[in-house]
Structure formats: structure tokens, C-alpha cells
């Protein structure tokens, strides 16, 4: 817009503070959108004009997204209100009130509805409650009935937000952000279950394929985090030197946190054949090594390396077996350190 459509208008904003730029831009939005529509109409008059516009915008992919971008700009003033709507639903405990709130969403223009639903659903903490209210409002959970009532954009917004979690679940190595990955998996689970738990999918419906694809991609990312978990735990609990203590410990904790989270979210993953056996195997490994370390702490000098490895075992025991089991090991450590 600054270069081609409205250099006279946009360039004047350059020296203003960001807050003033945003406010001034809102005032110019009607003019900018009018010029954009005129430019698109002019480009449609010939192949050469269309080609020039594609080059100016940066390629066919950018051109294909242009309608959505212009719609977003046109609705810019109400996107904040849509987010406020999403936050407000978190405080609504009555399902009838939620259903009434959903009726206030504009459904006449499905493109605009999709944009606003996407903004709103990003703020919703318990999407299952929204879906329950929607089914009550529509009177049916079938994919066709939801579409006829105009609420397909709501379901698609939930699926889009579920897809957005996949990027945060990627990453390998001991220094990856495992807290972010686990939070993304938990969010993915809530969004996915909100859809799969309430919608009656058509056998060959579009949402069926979308959910299947998302489940597969999420499962693949989780499986990568759990790959070689047993050797990783053994290395972290059995090492004989301090040279790789920090790295192996981080890898062990990362895998353990992800496994515990995946176990809680298993209904949204296709990993039952991996999670349940691995959970049992991990328990055996941690129990074996923690008992060995407990005995070593009782019979050998409690060096700094041995104590650090023991503390790691205690934390892993707590994650796998609970705080009560870990407290027994902590008391054994206190008894050993009193001998120093």
C-alpha cells in the first residue's frame, strides 16, 4: 500500500509514534481498502495486468491470500471485540447463557464469521463447553446440521487452533523448550476433544480428514520426543562421571515430562501401543536405578556427583510414582548427608 496504492497517505505516518500510527491507520482504512479493490478490479481486465499485480505482491501464493487479508483489514475494528467475547465466555458457567452468546455472533457472512470465530476461540480456555453449548443450540451434533446452522466456522476455528499447536511440539535435543511443547500438547488435546467428543462426523466429510491428519501429525511429533527414552533414562541415572551429567539429565526430564503429558492426552493421539508399554518400562527402569542409588548412598561416601544423580532419581520417581514414594528416597538422602 505504501509503495503502490497510497504512498501519499501511508508515508505521512512514518514519523509518528506506533500508537498514533495505528489510530491514524484506522482512519485511513476505508480509503486504503477502496484503492485496493479498485486495483484488483483493474488487474482483472487483462492477463498482463494480473501478471504485474502478482509480481508486485510477491507471487501466486500471496495473491491467493489477498481476499482473506483484505477481509481482516475490513474487520480490524471488531477483531478485538471478538477476542473479548472469547474471554467473556470463560466466566459463563450456564450452558444456556453460552448458547445465547453464540447466537450473537454474526453468521450472515461466513468469511467474516470465520475470522471472528478464529479470534474468539483463541481466548477460550475450555472449548468443550463451547461445543456443548453449540450442540444444544443447533439441536444436533452432525456435521451437516452444524453447517446448516452457520456454525461451521466455529468448528474450523477450533481445528485451526489445534493445528497451530503442532509447531510448538517440534524440536529435538536437551535444550528444547519442553514446557512449551507440553503446554501445546495439552492445548491440542482440549481443542481436539472439543471437536471429536461432540461432532458426529460424516463418513467422507472434510472434518473427518482434517482431524485424522492432525492426530497423525501430533502423534508423530510426540513419538519423536519419546524416542530412545529408556536408554536416555538409564544414562542419566547410571553415569559414572560428571562430564555429561547436565545434558543427560535434561534429556531424561524432557522425555519424562512429555511422556506424562502424552499419557494424560492419549485420547487425542494414536499412540496407545507406545505410551502404555513405555510407561511400564520407564517405571521399571527408574525403580531399578533408584534402588541401586539408594543402596550406593547407604554404603559409599555421598559425593557431590552421587548426590546430584540421586536427586535426579528422586525427581524422576516423583514424576512416575508420586510424591509419597519420592519422600521415602528424600529421607534416605537426609540420613546419608548427616554422616558427612
Amino acid at each position: 500500500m505504501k509503495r503502490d496504492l497510497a504512498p501519499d497517505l501511508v508515508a505521512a505516518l512514518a514519523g509518528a509514534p506506533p500508537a498514533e500510527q495505528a489510530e491514524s491507520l484506522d482512519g485511513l482504512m476505508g480509503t486504503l481498502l477502496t484503492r485496493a479493490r479498485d486495483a484488483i478490479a483493474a488487474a482483472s481486465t487483462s492477463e498482463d495486468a494480473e501478471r504485474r499485480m502478482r509480481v508486485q505482491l510477491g507471487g501466486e501464493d500471496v495473491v491467493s491470500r489477498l481476499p482473506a487479508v483484505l477481509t481482516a483489514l475490513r474487520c480490524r475494528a471488531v477483531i478485538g471485540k471478538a477476542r473479548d467475547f472469547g474471554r467473556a465466555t470463560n466466566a459463563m458457567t450456564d450452558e444456556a447463557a453460552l448458547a445465547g452468546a453464540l447466537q450473537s455472533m454474526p453468521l450472515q457472512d461466513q468469511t467474516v464469521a470465520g475470522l471472528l470465530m478464529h479470534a474468539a476461540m483463541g481466548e477460550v480456555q475450555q472449548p468443550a463447553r463451547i461445543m456443548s453449548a453449540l450442540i444444544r443450540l443447533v439441536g444436533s451434533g452432525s456435521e451437516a446440521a452444524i453447517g446448516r446452522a452457520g456454525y461451521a466456522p466455529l468448528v474450523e476455528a477450533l481445528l485451526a487452533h489445534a493445528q497451530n499447536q503442532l509447531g510448538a511440539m517440534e524440536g529435538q535435543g536437551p535444550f528444547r523448550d519442553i514446557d512449551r511443547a507440553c503446554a501445546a500438547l495439552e492445548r491440542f488435546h482440549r481443542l481436539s476433544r472439543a471437536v471429536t467428543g461432540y461432532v458426529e462426523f460424516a463418513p467422507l466429510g472434510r472434518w473427518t480428514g482434517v482431524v485424522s491428519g492432525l492426530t497423525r501429525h501430533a502423534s508423530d511429533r510426540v513419538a519423536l520426543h519419546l524416542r530412545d527414552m529408556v536408554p536416555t533414562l538409564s544414562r542419566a541415572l547410571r553415569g559414572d562421571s560428571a562430564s555429561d551429567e547436565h545434558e543427560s539429565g535434561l534429556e531424561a526430564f524432557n522425555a519424562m515430562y512429555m511422556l506424562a503429558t502424552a499419557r494424560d492426552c492419549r485420547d487425542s493421539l494414536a499412540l496407545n501401543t507406545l505410551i502404555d508399554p513405555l510407561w511400564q518400562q520407564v517405571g521399571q527402569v527408574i525403580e531399578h536405578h533408584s534402588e541401586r542409588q539408594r543402596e550406593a548412598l547407604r554404603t559409599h561416601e555421598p559425593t557431590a556427583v552421587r548426590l546430584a544423580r540421586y536427586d535426579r532419581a528422586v525427581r524422576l520417581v516423583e514424576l512416575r510414582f508420586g510424591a509419597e514414594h519420592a519422600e521415602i528416597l528424600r529421607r534416605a538422602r537426609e540420613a546419608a548427608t548427616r554422616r558427612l
Side-chain angles (χ1 to χ4, degrees):
M1 288 183 172
K2 178 179 179 180
R3 184 191 64 202
D4 300 312
L5 296 182
D8 55 322
L9 300 177
V10 179
L13 307 179
E20 292 183 14
Q21 287 184 2
E23 184 177 351
S24 299
L25 192 61
D26 284 336
L28 297 174
M29 195 57 65
T31 302
L32 294 174
L33 289 172
T34 298
R35 293 191 184 185
R37 285 193 296 269
D38 292 344
I40 293 172
S44 65
T45 58
S46 70
E47 292 185 3
D48 287 342
E50 287 185 355
R51 190 180 304 110
R52 283 195 298 272
M53 186 181 72
R54 284 198 298 271
V55 172
Q56 284 177 307
L57 289 173
E60 191 66 42
D61 289 343
V62 180
V63 173
S64 68
R65 292 194 294 269
L66 191 56
V69 172
L70 294 178
T71 299
L73 287 173
R74 179 162 55 88
C75 300
R76 186 170 180 269
V78 295
I79 289 177
K81 295 179 180 179
R83 297 181 65 187
D84 292 340
F85 169 84
R87 285 190 287 267
T89 61
N90 295 325
M92 296 181 184
T93 56
D94 181 41
E95 194 172 277
L98 271 173
L102 288 175
Q103 286 181 298
S104 69
M105 296 294 284
L107 302 176
Q108 297 80 6
D109 187 331
Q110 287 285 283
T111 302
V112 174
L115 179 70
L116 299 182
M117 292 288 188
H118 192 94
M121 292 306 110
E123 304 296 330
V124 173
Q125 297 174 358
Q126 297 296 331
R129 293 176 56 242
I130 293 288
M131 284 303 301
S132 176
L134 175 62
I135 300 307
R136 173 174 178 165
L137 177 62
V138 174
S140 171
S142 72
E143 187 172 337
I146 293 173
R148 284 194 300 270
Y151 287 99
L154 188 152
V155 177
E156 290 168 358
L158 294 177
L159 293 174
H161 279 284
Q163 179 180 344
N164 287 346
Q165 308 309 309
L166 298 179
M169 292 159 59
E170 293 179 338
Q172 294 295 307
F175 302 106
R176 62 187 180 272
D177 191 344
I178 200 65
D179 289 337
R180 181 169 176 259
C182 290
L185 176 55
E186 291 172 345
R187 178 66 172 165
F188 175 87
H189 172 64
R190 289 196 298 272
L191 292 163
S192 178
R193 291 299 296 167
V195 177
T196 60
Y198 290 92
V199 176
E200 301 169 13
F201 296 109
L204 299 177
R206 188 163 62 91
W207 293 344
T208 305
V210 172
V211 170
S212 177
L214 290 176
T215 301
R216 182 177 67 256
H217 287 303
S219 300
D220 290 344
R221 284 161 172 77
V222 171
L224 282 176
H225 285 279
L226 303 181
R227 185 178 59 187
D228 302 326
M229 182 176 180
V230 171
T232 296
L233 285 172
S234 297
R235 185 168 61 252
L237 295 172
R238 192 188 59 222
D240 296 324
S241 69
S243 59
D244 64 342
E245 285 289 294
H246 296 300
E247 186 169 324
S248 62
L250 281 172
E251 289 178 341
F253 283 125
N254 286 348
M256 195 65 222
Y257 281 121
M258 180 54 72
L259 178 60
T261 305
R263 191 166 179 264
D264 292 338
C265 302
R266 72 176 83 187
D267 290 342
S268 299
L269 301 169
L271 292 174
N272 284 340
T273 57
L274 171 66
I275 291 175
D276 291 336
L278 186 58
W279 184 254
Q280 296 300 323
Q281 194 173 6
V282 162
Q284 294 169 3
V285 171
I286 292 176
E287 187 173 33
H288 170 73
H289 285 291
S290 63
E291 287 301 319
R292 286 188 59 185
Q293 290 192 28
R294 182 181 179 185
E295 181 63 21
L297 202 62
R298 188 179 66 82
T299 58
H300 295 78
E301 179 185 357
T303 63
V305 172
R306 184 170 286 119
L307 287 173
R309 193 176 299 125
Y310 188 86
D311 289 340
R312 181 180 304 144
V314 171
R315 180 58 181 147
L316 290 170
V317 165
E318 186 173 19
L319 290 172
R320 175 58 181 82
F321 296 105
E324 185 175 346
H325 196 152
E327 186 59 30
I328 297 174
L329 298 182
R330 289 194 178 96
R331 288 198 293 269
R333 185 193 192 284
E334 292 173 2
T337 54
R338 283 197 294 268
R339 300 200 309 267
L340 292 175

